[in-house]
Amino acid sequence: MALLLLASCGSPTVIPLRPEAPPDVVPIDAPESSQADWTVDCNGGADFETISDAIDAASDGEWIEVAPCTYREVVDFSGKSLWISSSDGPETTIIDARGDYGVIAQRGEGDGSALVGFTIDGAGGTYGAVYAYLAALRLEDVTISSARGGYFVIYAASADMELQDVDIVDSTASYYTIDMSRGAFTADGLSVSCSGNSYALVAGHGSFFLDHSTLSCGSGYAIYNENSTGRVQRSSLRGALYAATDEDHYTDTNLFENTVIRGSISQTYGTLVLRNSILDGGTITGTDLYELRLQANVFQSARCAFGNTWSGEDTAVDPTSTVEYNDFWDMTAEGCDGTVYVGTDGNIAEDPSFTDEASGDYSVPASSPLVDAGLEDDIYDDPDGSRNDIGVYGGPHSVGGGW
């Protein structure tokens, strides 16, 4: 499974201004065979009546297909790289965890370990509904519902975790919904609503990548990041974003692109990039950053857009900032120190005229001042070849096209 490495520590390195290609979100494929190696049906008529018995019989690299039913058991991959999929999807194929773990991978399971097409219901394991440690695990087309009582809903430690079309609903945890520590975490189509806890994703000492995902935590944290690099694109985040790294990790980067953010951003050390995004009602605060790059964004409905604290004492390099082609709308000052950016470097202060902001439609009509007002270099052109538009529908990687 692919690791996302956006930056490294050591001597400062300038990050390319060109739009970076995304990492591979789908590095493993379904079995090539048209017939499963083993079948499971709790009603009989298959090789086994429980998933656990099929895992015991299977060899590394085999495919287990599971018929619709409610399976009251813990699915432990037992150190085997297995593709475990349902035949009819998560609506009718349920792992009833009964207050225990739902899925476990903790014995060195490798690439190709996957659970596809299940609902994990009623989990309450100490470390969550899904526990991955020193292993690789992919969840695809999975719903996690009514997880209660554990520290987390998903816990991944020194693991390579991939989520594709995963919904976490009606679940609470004592600490965080998803905890990722010392590993790689990628998600495409992830949906998390923090109900009863205040952190959607906590990342530490690793890397994470989110695409087409929705994290909603109200007044809590959508992402809380310590010593990890992260990339978020074409997503919606509600809640605060926090990041901190070591003072000499100059290019440890958090990159947000084509993303709607409803909350404030705070980062200490490292590099922060916000491009073709919307910051609605929040403020960016950077402390001892190596670089701050704000390009082709909409900042709106806040007292001010951003403020920076450069101490010079805790950094070995002079910090730099790039603020260009942004729209500062409905705020009294663009910089929190009162610095006015409008009128220079392509920055404007005009009503974006979003199509239907109330319903979350941040596209713009042809008459909007955001159209063809973004970055000028043709490498940032919109998918139709026209100049970059400011906001989430602009650029080659836009919500409305590209990739």
Side-chain angles (χ1 to χ4, degrees):
M1 296 184 181
L3 292 178
L4 170 67
L5 298 177
L6 292 179
S8 61
C9 61
S11 59
T13 302
V14 176
I15 301 174
L17 286 173
R18 294 179 176 273
E20 302 86 347
D24 187 0
V25 188
V26 190
I28 59 175
D29 298 318
E32 296 181 0
S33 170
S34 60
Q35 184 174 350
D37 298 290
W38 304 97
T39 58
V40 178
D41 187 343
C42 70
N43 297 307
D47 296 319
F48 300 99
E49 293 186 4
T50 70
I51 302 171
S52 298
D53 285 344
I55 292 173
D56 289 342
S59 298
D60 203 57
E62 291 190 324
W63 171 21
I64 298 172
E65 187 174 53
V66 181
C69 194
T70 296
Y71 297 88
R72 295 178 174 86
E73 56 182 307
V74 177
V75 176
D76 187 339
F77 279 74
S78 300
K80 301 174 184 179
S81 299
L82 301 172
W83 185 279
I84 304 175
S85 64
S86 70
S87 59
D88 281 23
E91 292 81 7
T92 57
T93 317
I94 300 166
I95 299 169
D96 182 356
R98 291 191 166 187
D100 203 339
Y101 295 101
V103 178
I104 296 175
Q106 62 173 342
R107 303 179 190 178
E109 290 83 355
D111 289 351
S113 306
L115 185 83
V116 180
F118 287 83
T119 291
I120 303 169
D121 186 62
T126 303
Y127 288 95
V130 178
Y131 177 79
Y133 176 66
L134 289 171
L137 180 62
R138 177 182 179 85
L139 303 180
E140 181 176 332
D141 191 20
V142 168
T143 297
I144 301 174
S145 63
S146 302
R148 296 285 188 272
Y151 293 142
F152 321 102
V153 177
I154 294 178
Y155 179 73
S158 300
D160 192 347
M161 172 72 77
E162 295 184 1
L163 307 182
Q164 177 77 44
D165 298 323
V166 171
D167 294 332
I168 300 177
V169 298
D170 189 30
S171 295
T172 62
S174 301
Y175 294 148
Y176 320 126
T177 302
I178 300 173
D179 184 89
M180 186 280 296
S181 177
R182 298 187 184 278
F185 180 89
T186 64
D188 186 353
L190 170 66
S191 177
V192 176
S193 178
C194 295
S195 175
N197 70 316
S198 57
Y199 297 80
L201 171 64
V202 175
H205 300 276
S207 62
F208 64 88
F209 170 51
L210 302 179
D211 190 14
H212 290 117
S213 294
T214 300
L215 307 183
S216 181
C217 278
S219 60
Y221 286 91
I223 299 175
Y224 190 95
N225 171 10
E226 291 186 334
N227 297 93
S228 291
T229 58
R231 177 176 181 144
V232 180
Q233 63 195 34
R234 299 181 298 184
S235 295
S236 176
L237 308 176
R238 181 180 292 275
L241 310 178
Y242 170 82
T245 188
D246 292 332
E247 61 186 74
D248 59 345
H249 287 210
Y250 307 112
T251 57
D252 274 7
T253 300
N254 285 284
L255 167 64
F256 301 91
E257 195 162 26
N258 296 107
T259 291
V260 178
I261 302 169
R262 298 177 184 89
S264 292
I265 302 173
S266 177
Q267 180 164 325
T268 301
Y269 303 123
T271 293
L272 174 62
V273 180
L274 190 70
R275 183 187 298 135
N276 278 114
S277 293
I278 296 173
L279 186 63
D280 190 351
T283 299
I284 298 173
T285 303
T287 302
D288 292 320
L289 292 179
Y290 168 59
E291 183 177 5
L292 174 67
R293 191 181 306 156
L294 308 175
Q295 299 171 301
N297 306 293
V298 177
F299 298 96
Q300 66 175 24
S301 305
R303 182 183 66 82
C304 55
F306 59 91
N308 304 301
T309 302
W310 314 120
S311 74
E313 298 175 358
D314 298 325
T315 55
V317 297
D318 293 329
T320 62
S321 61
T322 301
V323 182
E324 57 184 4
Y325 303 102
N326 301 288
D327 183 16
F328 298 94
W329 174 243
D330 191 22
M331 56 182 58
T332 57
E334 290 75 47
C336 296
D337 61 358
T339 302
V340 176
Y341 291 89
V342 172
T344 63
D345 298 319
N347 296 300
I348 62 175
E350 300 187 41
D351 186 346
S353 300
F354 294 123
T355 300
D356 190 355
E357 182 178 352
S359 65
D361 184 352
Y362 288 93
S363 62
V364 293
S367 59
S368 169
L370 305 188
V371 174
D372 296 337
L375 294 158
E376 293 185 277
D377 194 315
D378 59 11
I379 62 172
Y380 296 105
D381 283 352
D382 294 343
D384 63 3
S386 62
R387 178 179 164 180
N388 179 285
D389 294 344
I390 294 173
V392 293
Y393 279 82
H397 315 325
S398 70
V399 171
W403 285 339

